Structures are given as structure tokens and as C-alpha cells.
Amino acid sequence: MLERIITEMQNPVTLFNKLFSATVRSQYDIGLEDIKNLTVEEHQTTSLSQEEREAMKRIVKENWANHPDLFPGMIATLQNPKSALTFYLLKKAGLIVAFLGASDYKNHEEEGRWVGMLNVDSLYKGNAIATAFTKEMIALLGQDQELFADVFPTIDAGVMYVERLGFQIVGISDPLGTHNLAQQRLLLRRQKTGNNISEQPARTRREAFR
């Protein structure tokens, strides 16, 4: 259960050490100076401060500026006091660098964790600490559970889940039955692989929509 993972990581130092161990820093070529004033926090949606919400909303709007029809849903999630998401925040000197959300997932016979809302501040895109946070957080959440996600196929940032985070395309959701790519989502699953992120060959968007 996600609740157990959260309980084990209540201590921010423990969570930080899991994500930025010496081995991880070596793998991503992260120096000691790079992790100075770097922290990792976990928050229920209801425990996010107003300042954190505003910073996250700014990052979402910047990242999704070319898709203004899509980001309102993420903004609504941040503002929803009943949201079941747990957010993991990477901060540098108190400022949010990147974040992602997770929640328990159950659908028919499938059970695991849903992950999404992955966003990186534009100043840190391609930065080693943001890359390490993303991959290692996914690995940690997926060490004992399958992970599930859904992404828009027309957006490269969403397909990054497949190309870099070890997810596989397992289906297509077309809730409105429009057969319009802009309304459809790729359904993704990542099998349990312990602490390893596998960048295995995946179905491409072209293959998925044949």
C-alpha cells in the first residue's frame, strides 16, 4: 500500500538518502555541491502550503503553455481538498524544482499505484538532479507494486514515461468515443522491477494507433 511507503518515508532525510545515495549521485554525475540545499518532501494534497500550490501551478502552466486545454485538470487537482494524491517535491533552497503525484490504484483485477502529475521547473529541465529525482522516485514507488499511468499520446512529455521510465503501453482510452487523438490517452503499466528502471523497447505511438 502507498500508505506504508509514506509511513516509511516520513523522515525527509530518509527519503532524500534513498533518492540521492552515493551510488545514485555517481550514476547521474551529481556532485556534493549539486545537492547542497536540496531536499525531498512528501505531502498529502491537503498538507501543501498555499505557497507550494502556487509554485506548482506556475510550473504546470509554464510546462503546458502550448496545451492550455489540458492543464486546467492538473490545476483543479492541486486545488481539490479531497484529492487522494500524495505529492513528492524536490526542492532547491526551498524552491520547488520538480514534483510528481501518486495514489493507490485498483481497476478490476489490476492493482498497484498510479503515478502522474510529473512536472519539472523549466530552469531544471535536463538537469541531473531533476532526472535522478524522477527516475529514482519512480523506482522507489515501483519496487514492490506495478505502476500505472495515463498520458496524452500527442504530447512528448507524456510519452517520456515509456521512453525513459520503463512503462509499457497496454491500451488506449477513448472515453468520448471520438477517435480524436487530442481526446485519447495511452494507458501505461510498469512491472515490478525492484529498484531498477528499465528502458526496454516499448510500443511507439504509431504502433499503438494503427
Side-chain angles (χ1 to χ4, degrees), residues 20-186:
F20 290 96
S21 66
T23 301
V24 170
R25 295 199 307 272
S26 175
Q27 178 183 350
Y28 294 94
D29 195 22
I30 297 173
L32 292 178
E33 190 64 27
D34 297 320
I35 63 172
K36 185 178 180 180
N37 298 322
L38 199 66
T39 59
V40 181
E41 302 174 6
E42 63 90 6
H43 292 275
Q44 300 298 313
T45 307
T46 52
S47 71
L48 289 168
S49 69
Q50 187 59 35
E51 182 180 3
E52 288 168 333
R53 291 176 195 272
E54 291 303 318
M56 294 163 77
K57 286 162 60 177
R58 175 188 59 78
I59 292 172
V60 166
K61 288 180 179 179
E62 288 179 355
N63 288 345
W64 295 78
N66 293 330
H67 305 277
D69 55 324
L70 301 182
F71 68 69
M74 284 185 273
I75 300 297
T77 298
L78 290 172
Q79 296 174 325
N80 182 3
K82 296 183 179 180
S83 172
L85 283 181
T86 296
F87 282 100
Y88 298 92
L89 278 55
L90 176 67
K91 292 183 177 180
K92 180 78 169 178
L95 301 178
I96 296 176
V97 170
F99 64 89
L100 64 84
S103 65
D104 288 324
Y105 174 89
K106 188 172 184 179
N107 181 28
H108 303 297
E109 297 180 356
E110 296 181 326
E111 187 171 356
R113 297 187 181 100
W114 178 89
V115 295
M117 295 281 290
L118 173 57
N119 281 271
V120 176
D121 187 287
S122 58
L123 294 177
Y124 287 88
K125 289 195 183 289
N127 186 284
I129 61 172
T131 300
F133 168 77
T134 300
K135 288 194 172 186
E136 298 303 318
M137 194 70 240
I138 290 292
L140 184 59
L141 290 169
Q143 65 183 359
D144 64 344
Q145 294 273 339
E146 287 191 336
L147 299 182
F148 297 86
D150 54 272
V151 300
F152 291 99
T154 55
I155 299 175
D156 290 335
V159 180
M160 179 266 295
Y161 282 75
V162 174
E163 296 173 345
R164 294 172 54 192
L165 298 179
F167 284 82
Q168 296 290 303
I169 301 170
V170 295
I172 300 169
S173 173
D174 187 10
L176 301 180
T178 60
H179 302 291
N180 182 348
L181 281 180
Q183 301 297 328
Q184 296 175 343
R185 291 196 180 199
L186 298 180

